[in-house]
Amino acid sequence: MAERAALEELVRLQGEHVRELKLQKASAEQIEEEVSQLLKLKAQLGPDEGKHKFVLKTPKETLTGKYGEDSKLIYDLKDQGGELLSLRYDLTVPFARYLAMNKLTNIKRYHIAKDFDIAGQFDPMIPDAECLKIMCEILSSLQIGDFLVKVNDRRILDGMFAVCGVPDSKFRTICSSVDKLDKVPWEEVKNEMVGEKGLAPEVADRIGDYVQQHGGVSLVEQLLQDPKLSQNKQALEGLGDLKLLFEYLALFGIADKISFDLSLARGLDYYTGVIYEAVLLQTAAQAGEEPLGVGSVAAGGRYDGLVGMFDPKGRKVPCVGLSVGVERIFSIVEQRLEALEEKVRTTETQVLVASAQKKLLEERLKLVSELWDAGIKAELLYKKNPKLLNQLQYCEEAGIPLVAIIGEQELKDGVVKLRAVASREEVDVRREDLVKEIKRRTSQPPCIC
């Protein structure tokens, strides 16, 4: 205990020192060094029931130069000491900085509802295949419709640009143009390349011959025999890894969800290998639905060089990860529920225990306790004598599917009246059979909450 107390005091003093440096507007290098020391001290403390938490701030220079043309999505701000910080929806760069600062070389991380990353030196394509498996599992479980995961490799893109005659200095900016092919036709992309970015028309045409192709492992094998691409070392490495990836995806049972798409570019500069992006497949709009135009719903890829950018000795840690577009998925779910005139469920509660008459609080408490003990997600209104109508309205507003109603007659007969909120159908169920009946009715796949 004494050692921990001493360490906590060191953390406090170091934290104050960092704040003083910021107020004094010390150099970024000095602040970075002291923050690194603070994080090392906090790491020594270890977990303590969630009490010791810290915010990893992201200086502007950490994000600069990592996103290519997507840099416009970085938002700048200053803390109270005047240090220039930045915000961006992407967590990959701060994660890579964290690995470098703490000298971590092997970790698996997930960020609730959004991100998943694997860092470490492993055999090729095994972690990448796991990421794609996780992405497919997430999207399938959300039941938002059929989807397709496009995959490509930055090495194939760079090799393709090289054999087509794109100058090295234009690789990234042409890559950003290619990435727009899922939104605009090829002619518009070509006009941007030639008219705005100064690419020769014949070079753009050669690119067009490649980027309009998509398929499965057969396309990979076809390109391995391509007389131009097969002579490029980068493209050959990327195609070899993609062939291996498809073997693992077949073993995971998700190969039918994956498409090798040469137009997929992912505009972020830090990707170094396999890249992927999940899109919803457009289906005929149901009555009342507007056509969905939300873009990709999940994406990710391999970024083997990012950690080394933050390590003083340039030590690299291979990484691969994915991110789920939570806001876009929410918009899809809300639109579909509105079209079906269904309410968004605001609770996971399966059944509300209600009473039909006054002075039945004790009986409601007994019944809700029985349901809790049986693993049923149940609740009741926190009123002694709530009106039945108010209880039923609460279920409709919250999206609770069932109501277990008890009254004087039900207690005499040893039954509970089970009401389906949506259909308003009611049936008397023997008290001893209630748990079984509720589980039977709620065993279907739940709606998205």
Side-chain angles (χ1 to χ4, degrees), residues 204-221:
D205 288 335
R206 288 195 286 268
I207 293 173
D209 291 338
Y210 283 112
V211 298
Q212 296 181 79
Q213 298 184 61
H214 55 84
V217 69
S218 60
L219 178 58
V220 178
E221 293 170 344

Side-chain angles (χ1 to χ4, degrees), residues 14-37:
Q14 183 66 16
E16 289 181 357
H17 180 50
V18 170
R19 285 190 288 274
E20 287 174 5
L21 287 175
K22 289 183 177 182
L23 289 171
Q24 295 166 8
K25 298 187 178 179
S27 68
E29 292 78 10
Q30 187 179 2
I31 291 173
E32 183 80 13
E33 183 179 343
E34 296 301 326
V35 168
S36 179
Q37 183 62 32

Side-chain angles (χ1 to χ4, degrees), residues 135-418:
M135 181 183 285
C136 289
E137 284 186 355
I138 291 171
L139 296 177
S140 296
S141 64
L142 288 173
Q143 301 175 34
I144 55 175
D146 292 334
F147 62 89
L148 182 70
V149 181
K150 301 177 183 179
V151 301
N152 200 359
D153 193 295
R154 270 295 175 83
R155 294 166 296 177
I156 298 174
L157 281 168
D158 287 350
M160 176 186 69
F161 292 150
V163 301
C164 288
V166 179
D168 291 355
S169 60
K170 292 185 181 291
F171 273 22
R172 291 286 75 87
T173 186
I174 296 303
C175 190
S176 295
S177 296
V178 169
D179 201 38
K180 298 175 183 177
L181 274 172
D182 63 332
K183 305 178 184 70
V184 298
W186 163 245
E187 285 304 318
E188 287 188 32
V189 172
K190 178 183 174 181
N191 289 339
E192 179 182 297
M193 289 179 177
V194 176
E196 297 179 21
K197 300 183 176 181
L199 196 66
E202 62 273 16
V203 174
D205 288 335
R206 288 195 286 268
I207 293 173
D209 291 338
Y210 283 112
V211 298
Q212 296 181 79
Q213 298 184 61
H214 55 84
V217 69
S218 60
L219 178 58
V220 178
E221 293 170 344
Q222 175 188 322
L223 292 175
L224 280 168
Q225 304 302 317
D226 185 274
K228 293 181 180 179
L229 276 183
S230 61
Q231 300 304 309
N232 182 277
K233 182 181 177 182
Q234 275 191 301
L236 207 56
E237 289 176 355
L239 288 166
D241 277 352
L242 270 193
K243 185 177 180 181
L244 182 60
L245 177 65
F246 268 99
E247 291 179 16
Y248 296 151
L249 297 179
L251 294 172
F252 278 148
I254 58 170
D256 61 326
K257 295 284 188 183
I258 312 296
S259 172
F260 173 29
D261 193 323
L262 281 158
S263 70
L264 179 66
R266 302 286 296 143
L268 306 180
D269 279 359
Y270 54 67
Y271 286 125
T272 58
V274 171
I275 50 178
Y276 35 85
E277 183 175 277
V279 295
L280 289 184
L281 296 176
Q282 295 289 337
T283 55
Q286 298 179 17
E289 283 192 9
E290 293 293 325
L292 294 172
V294 295
S296 66
V297 291
R302 178 160 287 280
Y303 50 103
D304 288 348
L306 194 54
V307 176
M309 293 183 182
F310 303 108
D311 190 284
K313 296 183 179 179
R315 288 171 294 200
K316 293 184 178 181
V317 178
C319 298
V320 64
L322 66 94
S323 180
V324 177
V326 177
E327 292 82 2
R328 289 182 172 183
I329 289 173
F330 279 173
S331 70
I332 295 167
V333 173
E334 288 174 352
Q335 180 178 320
R336 289 185 172 170
L337 289 176
E338 286 175 7
L340 296 171
E341 297 184 349
E342 292 183 7
K343 292 185 179 294
V344 178
R345 288 190 62 186
T346 59
T347 176
E348 290 189 355
T349 301
Q350 298 168 302
V351 59
L352 179 82
V353 175
S355 56
Q357 288 99 25
K358 295 181 178 180
K359 299 182 180 179
L360 290 175
L361 175 60
E362 290 184 3
E363 296 299 331
R364 284 192 293 140
L365 291 173
K366 288 179 186 177
L367 181 54
V368 79
S369 181
E370 289 176 19
L371 297 178
W372 287 341
D373 291 343
I376 301 290
K377 296 175 182 177
E379 64 174 287
L380 74 168
L381 295 190
Y382 300 139
K383 289 188 175 183
K384 283 187 176 181
N385 299 304
K387 294 180 179 179
L388 181 59
L389 181 60
N390 290 345
Q391 295 171 91
L392 298 178
Q393 285 178 340
Y394 173 75
C395 288
E396 291 184 358
E397 292 169 1
I400 299 173
L402 298 172
V403 190
I405 305 171
I406 48 177
E408 293 175 358
Q409 189 61 48
E410 284 78 16
L411 290 171
K412 289 179 182 177
D413 296 341
V415 299
V416 175
K417 193 176 295 295
L418 193 61

Side-chain angles (χ1 to χ4, degrees), residues 78-90:
K78 290 184 178 181
D79 69 3
Q80 67 270 31
E83 183 185 4
L84 185 58
L85 306 172
S86 292
L87 289 173
R88 194 182 185 279
Y89 62 84
D90 172 82

Side-chain angles (χ1 to χ4, degrees), residues 102-132:
N102 292 276
K103 296 180 174 59
L104 297 174
T105 59
N106 194 313
I107 187 173
K108 186 182 286 190
R109 172 195 81 101
Y110 72 93
H111 183 96
I112 294 176
K114 189 168 178 63
D115 288 358
F116 178 82
D117 294 272
I118 301 173
Q121 187 72 52
F122 305 106
D123 287 343
M125 297 297 103
I126 300 175
D128 309 66
E130 182 179 349
C131 284
L132 286 165

